């Protein structure tokens, strides 16, 4: 398959503006003739639905939660990036562009990243106008703080609940269109298949999660805004419902899956406390603005943190990366924490933790000032650990957080299936091999508010696909496939629960394809996953029926997809014989233990094409070229 990025030429700072001018438009009267399906109601999905409804399109919005407000975007804590330069500290759209390309190890398209940086300033204005309660300085300007991988303060925030406040803004905008009759919301509906008719995405098949009813929905285009696949690892910072099913269905219909091995491990999570846990909790990266990360210098030191004097503490991020210090990027900070724990200097139960210490910040600023910035985060930490982060250092450890891989899309955010657009974390496009902190919210809102309204209109105005309805043969085929799979899961009648399989898969992924991967570990993983999948289809037990509410059945379908997707992730990691960002191959590292890229052989996007259950997927390649941020050594020292 030939992967055409459709990136425009010319000076990079003018590409998006020129591109928009040359796009075809749909006149206002004709917009009313089109129906757009939007799957997901997080920042990307809600902002897209709101904007398209405002423009006059008929929008069908779907989410599996009981309310669109429960989308996982609410869990984002620390902030959203924008190159406003309110601090007058040297920021600009170009610097945000540079930081993002460098932070992603030169594995993202320059054109996409510059557009994101350029649009960032508009996002803040949009959200402030909606009433999002951003923190403000004394004089009234919006406040900023720093995040990893940047030497400027460009992160706008609403204490420790930025994602929730931004989602409420997008939700309100979407609900305004619901009242206007332009958007119709279907909650508790899970997309179980994409419908491709006459060569284009024309609808979806869903299951009503309360009644069990299988339904068909037709439209002129489908937007997948369903987030990431971090729950492949079972323990992650994602909500338990987050899954890969929607984009995996699109993959099975011809949409290429790009760079699935790029999984971000976040360094600032509450450590695992026992094998009974079903998820992990993120402590915002914003805490590293004022918290200092350290471990005891002596392995096996069991003293309480406050009993260890400074001379016997190793502030290892400040030592290893003096320029960026505690705000080193996530992938680097995560591997550094693992390195300390592997050497026996970890703290807490099992030695799987490092300290995040606010002692110095408390002395310099006082507790009241820290509460203004982080009160909710300190309360959350106390509620989970029963420890007071003001009186003793927090304990943190890396955990699976964000996925940079996803469905391949071109500059228009369209996948390799015409009419199937992919927004936000569900696509691969803007972060390369590692995402800088506070850029997820930026990408989701850029895609939904400012990019898709143009690129979708261009597709519709250029498309010659005939109208289809839910009676088309392709819809029947999709519904039959969905029903058949549900019946197959229920008919196994084995002895193991869905969660036992998911947990075993997650542990395999973490041990063999987690913070560090080797050829040996990945080869073993590619042998163990098929064996586990075979047992799944022989020994799974799903109680109940498909005719009513059945959460075990829901999870079974998602885990079945994870078992297939995990194998593709391992295959992608094995084929990429280099280290970059969230993909660290032990065989490919510098003498100092940092990533060692191979730009001669792997400066490209790997986009996998499905060829059937009995055939291996094909690895397609989209070469990446760098003219404005030249390939270089990624250093934060």
């Amino acid at each position: 398959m030939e992967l055409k990025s459709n990136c425009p030429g010319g000076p990079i700072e003018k590409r998006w503006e020129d591109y928009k001018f040359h796009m075809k438009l749909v006149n206002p009267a004709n917009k009313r003739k089109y129906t757009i399906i939007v799957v997901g109601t997080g920042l990307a999905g809600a902002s897209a639905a709101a904007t398209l409804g405002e423009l006059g399109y008929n929008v069908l919005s779907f989410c599996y939660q009981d309310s669109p407000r429960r989308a996982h975007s609410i869990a984002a804590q620390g902030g959203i990036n924008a190159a406003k330069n309110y601090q007058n500290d040297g920021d600009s759209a170009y610097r945000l562009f540079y930081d993002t390309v460098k932070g992603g190890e030169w594995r993202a398209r320059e054109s996409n990243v510059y557009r994101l940086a350029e649009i960032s300033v508009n996002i803040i204005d949009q959200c402030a106008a909606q009433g999002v309660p951003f923190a403000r300085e004394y004089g009234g300007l919006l406040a900023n703080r720093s995040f990893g991988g940047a030497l400027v303060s460009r992160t706008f925030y609403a204490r420790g609940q930025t994602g929730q406040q931004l989602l409420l803004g997008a939700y309100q905008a979407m609900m305004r269109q619901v009242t206007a009759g332009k958007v119709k919301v279907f909650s508790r509906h899970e997309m179980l298949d994409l419908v491709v008719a006459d060569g284009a995405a024309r609808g979806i098949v869903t299951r009503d999660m309360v009644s069990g009813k299988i339904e068909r929905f037709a439209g002129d285009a489908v937007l997948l805004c369903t987030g990431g696949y971090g729950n492949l690892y079972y323990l992650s910072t994602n909500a338990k419902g987050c899954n890969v099913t929607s984009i995996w269905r699109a993959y099975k219909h011809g949409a290429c899956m790009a760079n699935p091995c790029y999984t971000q491990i976040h360094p600032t999570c509450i450590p695992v406390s026992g094998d009974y846990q079903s998820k992990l909790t993120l402590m915002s990266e914003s805490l590293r603005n004022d918290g200092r990360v350290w471990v005891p210098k002596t392995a096996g030191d069991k003293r309480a943190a406050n009993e260890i004097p400074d001379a016997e503490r190793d502030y290892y991020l400040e030592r290893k990366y003096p320029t960026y210090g505690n705000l080193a990027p996530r992938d680097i900070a995560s591997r550094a924490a693992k390195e300390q724990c592997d050497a026996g200097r970890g703290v807490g139960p099992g030695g799987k933790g490092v300290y995040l210490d606010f002692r110095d910040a408390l002395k310099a600023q006082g507790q009241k000032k820290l509460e203004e910035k982080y009160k909710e985060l300190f309360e959350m930490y106390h509620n989970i650990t029963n420890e007071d982060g003001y009186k003793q250092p927090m304990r943190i450890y890396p955990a699976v957080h964000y996925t940079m891989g996803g469905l391949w899309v071109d500059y228009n955010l369209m996948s390799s299936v015409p009419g199937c657009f992919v927004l936000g974390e569900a696509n691969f496009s803007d972060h390369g091999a590692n995402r800088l902190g506070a850029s997820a919210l930026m990408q989701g809102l850029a895609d939904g508010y400012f990019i898709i309204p143009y690129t979708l209109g261009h597709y519709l105005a250029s498309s010659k696909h005939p109208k289809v309805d839910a009676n088309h043969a392709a819809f029947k085929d999709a519904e039959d496939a969905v029903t058949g799979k549900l019946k197959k899961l229920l008919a196994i009648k084995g002895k193991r629960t869905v969660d036992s399989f998911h947990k075993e898969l997650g542990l395999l992924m973490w041990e063999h394809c987690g913070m560090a991967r080797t050829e040996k570990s990945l080869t073993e993983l590619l042998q163990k996953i098929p064996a586990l999948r075979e047992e799944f289809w022989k020994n799974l037990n799903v109680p109940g029926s498909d005719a009513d509410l059945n959460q075990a059945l829901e999870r079974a379908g998602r885990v079945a997809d994870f078992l297939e997707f995990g194998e593709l992730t391992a295959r992608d990691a094995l084929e990429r014989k280099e280290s970059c960002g969230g993909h660290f191959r032990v065989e490919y590292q510098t003498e100092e233990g940092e990533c060692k890229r191979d730009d001669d052989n792997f400066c490209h996007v790997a986009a996998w094409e499905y060829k059937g259950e009995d055939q291996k997927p094909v690895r397609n390649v989209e070469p990446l070229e760098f003219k404005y941020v030249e390939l270089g050594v990624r250093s934060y020292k």
Side-chain angles (χ1 to χ4, degrees), residues 35 94 226 254 322 406 509 592:
T35 297
Y94 199 93
T226 51
M509 292 299 303
E592 297 175 324

Side-chain angles (χ1 to χ4, degrees), residues 406-421:
L407 289 182
W408 180 91
V409 293
D410 65 6
Y411 191 70
N412 297 310
L413 304 184
M414 189 163 72
S415 71
S416 41
V417 173
C420 178
F421 294 82

